[in-house]
């Protein structure tokens, strides 16, 4: 056959379909994140409190962590992951009414739990990958150094690219959410976001249906072949204890310190929308509904995350990792209480959200997250390195942090000041531990 | 011409010859460009009305009424009709061996009338955008009195004038095509391809049915502007409008359905490597549908208090239409059976269209039965049935035609992977959207209402997801065609010859 006149699919090029797949995936990712972040407000509109939001997030995280701990051979096809995410979003959108339609006894909360479960594969292993935002503000739900969540067609294998894509998607979705919530409340606006996300998810599923996973055995450049990274899920307790006890004291302290900071972040991340919803209704000079303001703040947070990711190479190159780590996490730790103290001042909130998002810049240095927490090439100063925890410990920390959103919700139900104050205390305690280990 | 693997006079003759574009090709291309633009506008209406249904705070109920009206009128009169006539202009003269159009001036005038029709029909929306004191028409695409006679909105008058322009354009086009086949044909009648037969039948139906719409629209304008009483008042009857409207509108549906049937017949035979099974019977079935469609308008009016004997008569003739339609479907399936199927983009699109034709047909048969029709006529069931047929069958068949004739008309290939993605999104979107509406209809939810019980929200949300998927798919389609028309790989004179074409797989059918 004359390929010049009769092009085969491969001759026609992968460009356009890959582009559609990537754009749809990034958009879906952003909308999933926005839906997760505004879920407590949706639940509040349905008459449920922050504890219910914590339950949904904790269940979603638990399933996602379980999926994240599976080996690469157990991965679902990309199209299936995207289709499940779309289904999860559809279930979320219709959660308040599905009982009325089907005659089931689950209630809106039950269907939201079903939706969170369906979304878990995306959160653990989505095309954009585990970027540690949304429910998983505490950090990625799978080991980003591993073979999971590495994206298709070589697009999103690099963790930095994943974070950039995730932040871009979230920023775009934040714009859409701000416009939606400007004209409607949480009860009607949330389904619009979820439905839009479902459309993007199904588009990604259609676009990804022809694609092979990076770990497809037929694929020669499969990372699972090239780099058989071990599974990083939670192993049994005895093994974990042995590994923990074999670690140097400094590494253990660093793991505890960083774990505490991650717990602090996870305690409040879900409740931020409730603080803004309760306290911010008017931007200077113009009327802006609270949820619309929150969506814009999430957009600012994404821009902060983008800036953090973009600045990472320069920071890794030039900064002192230990000072960067302790200083940066100290700033991150005081953000929660500052949010409560800022009240309705949108400008201050914008700065705080941007700082919250910019925590991505610290990722390479963090003992329980970073993959490159070492000194710059050529540096021989021992003090310019930070400890790095092994995969088993990371998996255990991920599993332990699953309960953080539920605890955060319960604390918020007691009092927002208590929840956010405790988060700040916990974060500062973590920084103190870290500074002991790296000081 | 007989549809056989390896030969395609339609394609080879229709290609640009000597660098000059024949007049029929130019008129056809412009019809298609106009249809594409109007399809985008009507599609946007659909997306907005779906949004109004899932987020009523964003778009009020009055806007919803206007959106479903403008969506319906735009898609039927400004998208589907021009698209079908566009393919007919571009392909039929070549298929019958004509070197040019008969009455080419009429064809050009028909084309020029289309923008005027669009301005009239969309005057309300355009005026609103310009800040004028008009609102988009909110009568429903059926313009039922007394609603349409009582509305003071001048956009209703302009829309009726727009419809008159559509009538004039359609009749001119139909006359032009009929005359071209009659006067300039160099092919024997029975050797005409099935697409040409279906266009001939549709054109004849249009010449007979569209003047009825013109008369009804003039009467309605007269009622509105001159206070006459054709459809309202003590002397008039709103039912008279319904009789006139549906006497026109049911044949309209077949004017829209028959040429796509011809496209599917052509494509299925072409890529099954054999002649269409029951080809001559299919031609007779086409003619039978044309005749029978003028006798079935009453089934749209089962709930109007019609005489029970008339209802039974209308029920039987409506059920009778299912027979020639089934013959068509049987012919397509029998051709696929044991054919050497090449799964090219037009073939896959045609197969999907046949699937939706089956669903649309079966749901339509149920509506033809008096007891069911009376129950479901006012519900979303009708919306689902109609869209399975119009969006699922007509829409996909038109897309199959676009994929089939694109390399023939432009001399360039499109991206087959993007086409496959487009088909996947469109087919899934249509299935999701209208299956959800079918479920709503079976639950008895009334159509044309912006509000509904909360329990139905998930199904409306699902339908919105499907509609948006269709929209995403069409964006990819337009992108693919624009990109390929500019920089696609060159296609040979007969791009679909047995050894060529950007097919994905070849398979032996069982």
């Amino acid at each position: 056959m004359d390929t010049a006149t009769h092009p085969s699919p491969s001759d026609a090029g992968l460009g356009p379909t890959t582009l559609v797949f990537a754009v749809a995936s990034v958009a879906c990712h952003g909308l999933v994140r926005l839906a997760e972040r505004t879920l407590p407000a949706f639940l509040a509109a349905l008459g449920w409190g922050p504890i219910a939001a914590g339950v949904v997030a904790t269940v979603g995280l638990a399933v996602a962590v379980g999926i994240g701990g599976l080996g690469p051979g157990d991965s679902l096809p990309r199209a299936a992951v995207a289709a499940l995410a779309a289904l999860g979003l559809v279930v979320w959108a219709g959660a308040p009414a599905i009982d009325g339609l089907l005659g089931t006894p689950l209630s809106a909360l039950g269907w939201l739990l079903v939706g969170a479960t369906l979304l878990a594969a995306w959160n653990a292993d989505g095309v954009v990958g585990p970027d540690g935002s949304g429910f998983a503000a505490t950090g990625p739900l799978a080991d980003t150094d591993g073979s999971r969540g590495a994206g298709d067609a070589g697009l999103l294998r690099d963790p930095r690219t994943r974070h950039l894509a995730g932040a871009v998607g979230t920023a775009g979705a934040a714009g859409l959410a701000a416009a939606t919530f400007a004209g409607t409340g949480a009860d009607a606006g949330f389904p619009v976001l979820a439905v839009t996300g479902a459309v993007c998810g199904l588009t990604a599923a259609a676009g990804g249906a022809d694609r092979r996973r990076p770990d497809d055995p037929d694929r020669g450049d499969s990372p699972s072949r090239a780099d058989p990274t071990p599974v990083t899920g939670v192993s049994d307790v005895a093994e974990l204890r042995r590994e923990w006890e074999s670690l140097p004291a400094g590494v253990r302290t660093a793991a505890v310190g960083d774990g505490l900071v991650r717990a602090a972040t996870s305690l409040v991340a879900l409740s931020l929308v409730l603080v803004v919803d309760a306290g911010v209704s008017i931007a200077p000079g113009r009327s802006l509904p609270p949820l619309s303001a929150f969506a814009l703040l999430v957009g600012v947070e994404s821009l902060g995350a983008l800036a953090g990711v973009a600045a990472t190479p320069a920071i890794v190159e030039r900064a002192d990792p230990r000072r960067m780590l302790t200083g940066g996490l100290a700033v991150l730790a005081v953000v929660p209480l500052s949010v409560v103290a800022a009240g309705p001042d949108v400008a201050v909130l914008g700065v705080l959200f941007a700082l919250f998002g910019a925590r991505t810049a610290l990722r390479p240095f963090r003992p329980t997250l970073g993959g490159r927490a070492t000194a710059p090439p050529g540096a021989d100063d021992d003090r310019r390195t930070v400890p790095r925890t092994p995969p088993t410990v990371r998996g255990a920390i991920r599993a332990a942090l699953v309960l953080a959103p539920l605890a955060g919700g319960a604390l918020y139900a007691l009092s927002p000041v208590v929840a956010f104050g405790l988060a700040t205390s916990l974060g500062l305690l973590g920084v103190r531990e870290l500074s002991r280990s790296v000081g | 011409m007989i549809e056989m693997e390896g030969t395609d006079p339609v394609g080879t003759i229709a290609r640009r010859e000597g660098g000059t574009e024949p007049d029929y090709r130019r008129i056809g291309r412009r019809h298609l460009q106009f249809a594409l633009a109007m399809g985008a506008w009507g599609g946007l209406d659909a997306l907005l009305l779906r949004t109004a249904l899932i987020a009523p705070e964003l778009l009020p109920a009055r806007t919803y009424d206007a959106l479903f009206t403008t969506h319906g009128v735009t898609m039927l009169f400004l998208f589907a009709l021009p698209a079908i006539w566009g393919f007919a202009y571009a392909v039929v003269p070549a298929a019958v061996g004509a070197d040019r159009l008969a009455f080419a001036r009429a064809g050009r005038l028909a084309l020029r009338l289309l923008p005027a029709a669009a301005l009239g029909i969309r005057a309300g929306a355009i005026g609103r955008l310009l800040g004028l004191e008009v609102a988009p028409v909110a009568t429903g695409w059926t313009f039922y009195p007394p609603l349409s006679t009582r509305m003071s909105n001048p956009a209703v008058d302009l829309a009726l004038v727009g419809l008159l322009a559509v009538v004039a354009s359609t009749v001119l086009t139909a006359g032009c095509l009929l005359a071209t086949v009659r006067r300039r044909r160099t092919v024997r009648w029975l050797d005409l391809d099935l697409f040409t037969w279906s266009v001939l039948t549709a054109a004849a139906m249009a010449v007979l049915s569209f003047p009825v719409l013109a008369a009804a629209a003039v009467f309605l304008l007269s009622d509105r502007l001159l206070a006459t009483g054709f459809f309202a008042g003590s002397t008039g009857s709103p039912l008279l409008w319904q009789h006139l409207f549906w006497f026109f509108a049911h044949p309209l549906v077949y004017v829209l359905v028959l040429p796509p049937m011809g496209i599917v017949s052509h494509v299925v035979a072409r890529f099954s490597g054999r002649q269409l099974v029951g080809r001559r019977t299919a031609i007779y079935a086409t003619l039978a549908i044309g005749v029978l469609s003028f006798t079935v308008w009453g089934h749209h009016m089962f709930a109007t208090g019609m005489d029970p004997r008339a209802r039974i008569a209308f029920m039987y003739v409506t059920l009778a239409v299912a027979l020639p339609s089934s013959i068509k479907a049987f012919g397509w399936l029998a051709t696929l059976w044991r054919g050497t199927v090449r799964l090219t983009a037009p073939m896959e699109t045609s197969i999907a269209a046949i699937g939706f034709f089956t669903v649309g047909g079966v749901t339509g048969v149920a509506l033809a039965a008096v007891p069911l029709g009376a129950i479901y006529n006012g519900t979303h069931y009708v919306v689902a049935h109609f869209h399975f047929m119009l969006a699922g069958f007509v829409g996909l068949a038109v897309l199959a035609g676009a994929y089939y004739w694109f390399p023939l008309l432009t001399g360039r290939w499109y991206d087959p992977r993007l086409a496959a993605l487009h088909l996947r999104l469109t087919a899934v979107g249509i299935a999701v959207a209208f299956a959800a509406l079918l479920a709503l209809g079976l639950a008895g939810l009334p159509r044309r209402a912006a509000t509904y019980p909360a329990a139905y929200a998930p199904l409306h949300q699902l339908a919105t997801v499907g509609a948006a998927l269709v929209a995403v798919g069409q964006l990819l389609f337009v992108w693919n065609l624009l990109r390929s028309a500019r920089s696609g790989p060159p296609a040979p004179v007969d791009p679909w010859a047995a050894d060529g074409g950007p097919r994905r797989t070849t398979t032996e059918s069982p």
Side-chain angles (χ1 to χ4, degrees):
Chain A
M1 189 172 77
D2 179 3
T3 52
T5 51
H6 304 302
S8 68
S10 57
D11 296 328
L14 292 172
T17 46
T18 303
L19 184 63
V20 171
F21 174 60
V23 169
S25 300
V26 168
C28 178
H29 181 83
L31 287 159
V32 167
R33 292 291 173 260
L34 256 293
E36 287 175 350
R37 295 292 294 273
T38 53
L39 182 70
F42 182 54
L43 274 165
L46 298 178
W48 298 87
I51 296 176
V55 168
V56 175
T58 288
V59 169
L61 277 177
V63 179
V65 165
I67 293 171
L70 297 173
D74 301 316
S75 301
L76 285 170
R78 293 288 176 217
V81 171
L84 279 176
L87 187 59
L89 287 169
V90 167
V91 169
W92 270 11
I98 297 179
D99 277 350
L101 183 70
L102 301 179
T104 47
L106 291 186
S107 81
L109 185 61
W111 284 107
L112 287 170
L113 286 169
V114 172
T117 306
L118 290 167
L119 279 163
W122 180 276
N123 277 332
D125 204 19
V127 175
V128 170
D131 67 343
S133 59
F135 280 170
T138 173
L141 300 170
D143 196 327
T144 50
D145 299 339
S147 56
R148 299 186 66 84
D152 271 337
L155 263 184
L156 306 172
R157 286 189 202 175
D158 173 37
R160 189 160 168 265
T161 314
R162 276 207 300 275
H163 285 100
L164 281 172
V168 167
T170 309
L176 175 72
T180 304
F181 289 124
T184 186
D187 52 344
F190 181 86
V192 172
L193 284 188
V195 162
T196 312
V199 172
C200 296
L202 287 174
T203 304
D210 287 342
R211 313 207 160 278
R212 290 175 178 172
R213 298 181 58 89
D215 48 357
D216 190 320
D218 293 337
R219 186 169 158 152
D221 59 349
S222 163
S224 60
R225 288 183 169 202
D227 176 23
T229 308
V231 176
T232 55
V234 186
S235 47
D236 67 75
V237 176
E239 185 192 338
L240 178 65
R241 182 178 289 174
R242 273 197 303 277
E243 183 143 5
W244 179 255
E245 286 169 353
S246 69
L247 289 175
V251 175
R252 287 202 303 245
T253 313
V256 169
D258 196 26
L260 285 174
V261 176
R262 287 173 66 181
T265 308
S266 194
L267 273 179
V268 295
L270 201 61
S271 307
L272 283 172
V273 64
L274 298 174
V275 175
V276 175
D277 201 14
V280 181
S281 59
I282 296 183
R286 71 191 65 170
S287 170
L288 200 63
L291 277 178
S292 196
F294 176 75
L296 287 179
L297 289 170
V298 172
V300 171
E301 183 187 318
S302 303
L303 294 179
L306 268 176
V309 174
T312 300
I315 293 172
V316 168
E317 183 74 22
R318 293 175 196 154
D320 177 340
R322 298 180 176 196
R323 283 188 185 168
M324 189 69 205
L325 185 63
T326 49
L329 289 184
V331 172
L332 182 63
V334 296
V335 164
L337 202 55
S338 307
V339 167
V340 181
D345 192 328
V346 173
V348 175
L349 284 173
V351 172
L352 292 171
F353 271 73
L355 286 173
F356 191 63
R359 68 187 186 278
T360 49
L362 302 175
R363 176 178 294 275
F365 307 105
R366 297 184 70 169
T368 64
L369 291 173
R372 288 171 292 160
T374 55
D380 55 1
D381 185 349
D382 183 51
R383 286 174 303 174
R384 295 195 69 194
T385 60
V386 290
R388 185 181 176 200
T389 50
T392 317
V393 175
R394 292 180 184 215
I397 291 173
R398 273 198 298 276
L401 291 178
V402 157
L403 288 171
L406 177 58
L411 289 168
Y412 192 91
L414 280 176
S415 160
V417 176
V418 168
F420 282 67
L422 187 67
T424 291
S425 308
L426 212 56
L428 289 173
L429 188 62
V431 174
R432 158 84 181 115
E433 286 296 296
L434 265 175
S435 62
R436 253 185 356 113
S437 71
V438 300
Chain B
M1 190 201 73
I2 296 175
E3 293 85 352
M4 287 284 289
E5 174 66 12
T7 60
D8 194 351
V10 176
T12 52
I13 295 169
R15 282 290 290 277
R16 186 187 299 259
E17 289 160 2
T20 55
E21 189 177 34
D23 58 349
Y24 56 82
R25 279 271 312 277
R26 192 168 51 250
I27 294 172
R29 181 164 48 79
R30 291 189 178 158
H31 267 84
L32 291 170
Q33 288 165 346
F34 175 84
L36 204 57
M38 289 298 113
W41 200 349
L44 182 63
D45 287 339
L47 281 183
L48 289 174
L49 77 87
R50 293 301 328 161
T51 306
L53 284 168
I54 65 165
E57 292 170 39
L58 293 177
L59 291 166
R62 186 69 182 159
T63 307
Y64 170 77
D65 295 344
L67 285 168
F68 79 68
T69 302
T70 51
H71 166 69
V73 179
T74 303
M75 294 309 265
L76 287 170
F77 295 110
L78 302 177
F79 164 68
L81 268 180
I84 283 162
W85 294 142
F87 280 126
Y89 273 120
V91 171
V92 166
V96 300
D99 56 345
R100 60 195 170 90
L101 283 173
F103 305 140
R105 195 176 292 175
R108 286 193 289 274
L109 180 58
L111 177 65
R112 287 184 193 129
L113 279 168
L114 287 176
L119 278 177
I121 287 171
R122 302 298 314 225
I126 295 168
R128 173 60 63 85
L129 288 173
L130 296 174
L132 302 177
E133 284 298 309
V134 290
V137 180
T139 57
W141 79 280
T142 52
F143 289 88
Y144 278 168
L147 185 63
S148 56
T149 50
R150 287 181 185 165
M151 279 187 171
S152 59
N153 181 6
V156 177
D157 303 314
L158 292 168
L160 290 169
V161 172
L163 284 183
L164 290 174
V166 169
V167 170
S169 172
T170 303
V171 171
L172 284 169
T173 285
C176 181
L177 290 167
L178 287 169
T180 299
V181 177
R182 175 76 184 84
R183 291 187 172 196
R184 301 203 173 278
R185 174 177 46 84
T186 58
V187 178
R188 289 190 315 131
W189 278 110
L190 282 177
D191 286 344
L192 290 179
D193 65 290
L194 275 167
F195 178 66
T196 302
W197 271 113
S198 64
V199 167
L200 270 179
T201 312
M205 291 168 67
V207 168
L208 292 172
S209 62
F210 273 70
V212 178
L213 172 66
V218 167
F219 292 158
L220 187 56
L221 271 172
S222 172
D223 275 6
R224 285 178 55 81
L225 301 175
L226 306 175
T228 51
F230 290 105
F231 304 124
S234 57
T235 57
S237 163
L239 282 183
L240 174 61
W241 169 268
Q242 290 201 31
H243 281 292
L244 290 172
F245 183 84
W246 288 115
F247 183 80
F248 146 76
H250 204 85
L252 165 70
V253 172
Y254 285 99
V255 168
L256 297 176
V257 166
L258 283 177
M261 283 177 163
I263 292 173
V264 169
S265 299
H266 190 84
V267 168
V268 164
R270 177 76 171 164
F271 296 109
S272 295
R274 60 193 300 205
Q275 185 176 338
L276 189 80
V277 172
R279 182 178 176 280
R280 186 170 289 200
T281 312
I283 294 171
Y284 295 141
T286 303
L287 298 172
I289 290 171
V291 173
L292 282 172
S293 66
F294 282 96
T295 64
V296 300
W297 80 91
H299 76 249
H300 294 277
M301 300 168 61
F302 281 158
T304 58
M306 183 186 286
D307 185 311
R309 288 163 297 184
R311 291 204 301 193
I312 294 296
F314 278 120
M315 181 178 83
Y316 282 122
V317 286
T318 305
L319 289 172
V321 180
L323 291 175
S325 303
S326 305
I327 288 170
K328 293 270 191 187
F330 174 80
W332 297 327
L333 296 177
T335 306
L336 287 168
W337 187 260
R338 296 194 187 284
T340 307
V341 174
R342 283 194 288 155
L343 288 178
T344 58
M347 183 60 154
E348 288 181 325
T349 312
S350 293
I351 290 171
I354 293 170
F356 288 119
F357 179 80
T358 308
V359 178
V362 169
T363 49
V365 168
L367 278 177
V370 174
L372 294 174
I375 292 171
Y376 290 120
N377 188 51
T379 71
H380 274 83
Y381 183 97
V382 170
V383 184
H385 153 69
F386 186 73
H387 282 85
F388 272 127
M389 202 50 104
L390 266 289
F393 177 69
V394 173
L396 283 177
V398 164
L399 291 172
Y403 281 132
Y404 183 74
W405 282 307
F406 181 85
L408 292 162
L409 296 174
T410 65
R412 292 188 181 277
W413 286 120
Y414 44 80
D415 184 332
R417 288 189 70 140
L418 209 47
L421 178 56
H422 162 231
L423 171 62
R424 222 175 285 152
L425 288 171
T426 307
V428 170
I430 289 171
V432 168
F434 303 119
L437 293 190
L438 194 64
L440 285 172
L442 289 170
L445 186 70
R447 57 185 168 131
R448 296 174 176 157
T451 56
Y452 52 86
Y456 296 125
L459 286 172
H460 267 309
Q461 288 161 352
L462 207 56
T464 305
V465 168
L469 276 183
V470 174
V472 172
Q474 303 333 295
L475 286 177
L476 298 184
F477 170 72
V478 173
W479 180 32
N480 195 5
L481 293 200
L482 290 178
R483 186 170 165 269
S484 305
R486 213 174 38 242
S487 58
V493 172
D494 186 0
W496 301 116
D499 62 338
R503 57 180 176 250
R504 296 174 64 220
T505 43
T506 300
T507 181
E508 187 75 28
S509 180

